[in-house]
Amino acid sequence: MTTPQLEIQLIAAVVAVACALPGVFLILRRMAMMSDAISHAILFGIVLAFFITEDITSPLLILGAALTGVLTVSLVEALHSTRLVREDAAIGLVFPVLFSIGVILISRYAGNVHLDTDAVLLGELAFAPFDRLYIGNYDIGPKSLYVMSAILLLNIVLIALFYKELKLASFDVGLSAALGFSPMLLHYGLMTQVSLTAVGAFDAVGSILVVALMIAPPATAYLLTSRLSLMLIFSSMIGIVSAISGYWLAHLLDVNIAGAMATMTGVIFVMTYLLAPRRGLIAVGRRKIRQRWQFAQRMLVVHLLHHLGLPEESQECHTGTVHQHLKWEKKFAGKVARMAEKEGLIFQKDGLLRLTDKGLETAQQAMM
Amino acid sequence: MIEILYNILFDYTLRTVALGAGVLGIVSGILGSYAVLRKQSLLGDTISHAALPGIALAFLFTGSKSVLLILTGAALAGWVATLLMISIIRTTRIKEDSALGLVLSVFFGFGLVLLTYIQKLPNATQAGLEKFLFGQAATLLAEDVLVMAILSLVILALVLLFWKEFKLLSFDEDFGATVGFPMRSIDILLTSLLVVAIVIGLQTVGVVLMSAMIVAPAAAARQWTNRLGIMIALSALFGAIAGIGGAIISSLTSKLPTGPTIVLCISAIVLLSLFLAPARGLVWQWIQQSRNRHNFHLDAVLLDLYALAQQHRDRLHGHHAAVLKTMNLKQSAVNRCLRELKTQGLVRQISRDLWGLTEAGLQQAESLANTQGGAA
């Protein structure tokens, strides 16, 4: 592995974690699509700031673009508050406008500078190691690594400081407002954080990958755990794994790195969606099947209890006829009886199904 | 002006682009109306982004750049993305917004992978797929527009054919299911039409901005009417105006990309509608509010006068405007209100500063006091 390769993976991993952390709260607060809007709209901010500073590397660029992110959020809120359009429509109306203005500005005035829509939208991580940071004459590493590390650190510090508040506001908006935490302040704080992260990441990986890294790893983690702290850790780890595996996928096929990373977040999500221990499709399917048999066993023991010691017992509870009374297929009834016997709920005597003590208890419980 | 008209009629490129953009505006306006009404505004965003891998795969498998083939690929990918999204929402606790964003970004990322893969193939015919990213209306050919127009006609016919069903789906799905309509299938049909409508626009405005063409015309049309038929017609009209207008404006100016220009046009229409639409628009709301406020002041002055009158044996006795001013929160308006009440015949001016109720005013004030729970 060469140094640039290592550096690219390092940058990718840092970006992934920096995006995943605020992403968790976006998912929980049902504002995932806001990241899409912000990441598109900051194109406008970047272009505008570029015209003012005329320097693509200026830190003002990041600030200007982050402000556009906040502007997007405020415009969406303002539009939604007129109650003339729904919130999703408001999002869908605002960001294309800002994005369009950005594209028009670029193609009209910035045709020959290093600022084109492809780079902004798609990113080119492969070039990130060429833009180095120097102290004096000493090369201390790629610049975007430092920028993203700073943003990551900021995200970690902010989440650590306001962990309790963010948690409360994500799960119980009403209570958090009643306790005096301003929902507006938290909302805009989080949105500023998302904008800042998006702007920083977007230079390296492009705006669409920002969305992928903000949403896919937290959504995957959401299938694995119900604890906020674990969700933050899992989504960071999933982010890192997708970043590095995505890099190697891109290396192997010689394709766009950001795209490959987004693809890997998707692959990991689909695998989790199928295989997650409790919420995966397979686990849910198996649970449903098990519940179906359990329910049938319950029906059987309740039926047996119902006719226990009564004259018709020999008819109702006979292995040969019980399925008719339960309106079951004979094969199904046989299987249920065998399962219940294995579970120690019933036993057979003289062709009659009889309840064990455990079966009696289960039946009585089911009747309650 | 005449030159523009001349160009539209005789300039091949402009005519093709304007026609294409107009068709796109009409179709996205129609299908967008349903999407907006069904709270699926952002579904268009997801579908259009998700179409990208379909475009690339269609090219990879067939090696052909025929528009119909590529659009089919795009539609299939958009369709798969929608189904995947719906199944994620149905079977997990992941919410709609996350599912939309997830499918959007992952499909788009995968599309980028495929596009860059295609670019590196030793095959000279690959170039040109990037135009679907941002749209390149100038590359539209007459036969592309023909394909678009035929697809649009099919969509239009289906919308008319299933008018009642789609209406039911948009406003009361449960009722539809209760009276025995196969709502699930109708939903799938409508979503498929949305996918086709989006795919039609990809070449002109690109995957990134196509979502605006779904939301904006419908959001604008919604402000003007409460009837579905009128809304859809208006939405199609707005879409067409924005499409043709945007195409013309961008052709008149150098270095003005068509897709973003169309989006800005339709957004301007949205803004106008939000402000000016009768009954719902912001301007109308402001007028209504200030009118209400004014009426409220009039009533307040009348009720104050009534309260004073009740303390006097002669109910029609005159009282000083100065007294009324001390009773009213907005003192400066009292004289103006009194004069207006006078023209309505509810009060009479006894001398310069002395005002009293008329018989009509007394009755009006009594009924007001009753309905307002005796505000005096």
Side-chain angles (χ1 to χ4, degrees), chain A residues 122-255:
Chain A
L122 320 179
E124 199 34 274
L125 201 51
F127 300 143
F130 300 126
D131 187 10
R132 325 267 323 164
L133 193 67
Y134 295 94
I135 292 184
N137 274 330
Y138 187 67
D139 174 5
I140 56 165
K143 199 174 140 198
S144 47
L145 183 58
Y146 286 94
V147 174
M148 279 321 294
S149 301
I151 290 173
L152 171 61
L153 197 68
L154 182 72
N155 283 350
I156 292 176
V157 168
L158 281 175
I159 289 176
L161 275 180
F162 297 107
Y163 185 73
K164 211 170 45 190
E165 288 79 0
L166 280 168
K167 189 177 186 178
L168 187 60
S170 301
F171 292 104
D172 195 338
V173 190
L175 180 63
S176 98
L179 290 175
F181 302 110
S182 158
M184 282 308 265
L185 202 67
L186 270 168
H187 178 65
Y188 277 97
L190 184 64
M191 286 303 153
T192 314
Q193 205 183 341
V194 169
S195 307
L196 205 62
T197 313
V199 178
F202 159 119
D203 192 31
V205 297
S207 63
I208 298 300
L209 182 61
V210 171
V211 181
L213 286 179
M214 278 193 183
I215 300 177
T220 312
Y222 197 38
L223 294 178
L224 292 170
T225 175
S226 292
R227 293 186 63 84
L228 180 61
S229 50
L230 283 181
M231 199 173 153
L232 286 166
I233 294 169
F234 284 177
S235 44
S236 304
M237 288 185 334
I238 293 165
I240 294 176
V241 172
S242 343
I244 291 173
S245 59
Y247 172 76
W248 286 106
L249 179 71
H251 186 73
L252 209 68
L253 300 173
D254 192 17
V255 293

Side-chain angles (χ1 to χ4, degrees), chain B residues 3-166:
Chain B
E3 196 187 344
I4 298 174
L5 218 62
Y6 181 85
N7 279 342
I8 292 177
L9 289 177
F10 299 107
D11 180 300
Y12 173 81
T13 315
L14 178 57
R15 193 180 54 203
T16 317
V17 172
L19 268 178
V23 168
L24 140 78
I26 292 173
V27 184
S28 55
I30 295 172
L31 270 304
S33 297
Y34 291 109
V36 166
L37 287 174
R38 300 181 62 207
K39 305 178 200 173
Q40 292 180 335
S41 298
L42 293 173
L43 184 61
D45 198 22
T46 297
I47 293 175
S48 62
H49 279 82
L52 192 61
I55 293 170
L57 283 176
F59 175 76
L60 262 181
F61 282 136
T62 65
S64 133
K65 276 199 298 180
S66 120
V67 172
L68 200 58
L69 230 123
I70 288 199
L71 293 193
T72 311
L76 280 178
W79 211 62
V80 169
T82 314
L83 290 186
L84 189 64
M85 195 206 79
I86 291 172
S87 92
I88 290 175
I89 298 172
R90 287 237 175 94
T91 54
T92 71
R93 56 176 177 170
I94 292 175
K95 307 297 179 307
E96 191 179 4
D97 62 311
S98 308
L100 281 169
L102 180 89
V103 171
L104 177 157
S105 56
V106 170
F107 270 67
F108 190 76
F110 183 54
L112 281 185
V113 167
L114 292 173
L115 275 193
T116 43
Y117 180 74
I118 290 172
Q119 274 168 358
K120 282 164 187 148
L121 287 179
N123 184 338
T125 58
Q126 13 80 343
L129 291 184
E130 291 86 350
K131 70 182 175 202
F132 289 104
L133 274 182
F134 297 103
Q136 262 176 14
T139 63
L140 275 180
L141 301 173
E143 50 259 45
D144 299 347
V145 176
L146 191 66
V147 171
M148 287 166 69
I150 292 171
L151 284 176
S152 313
L153 282 179
V154 173
I155 289 182
L156 195 62
L158 284 172
V159 166
L160 288 177
L161 196 62
F162 291 98
W163 179 261
K164 187 177 57 193
E165 285 80 359
F166 289 165

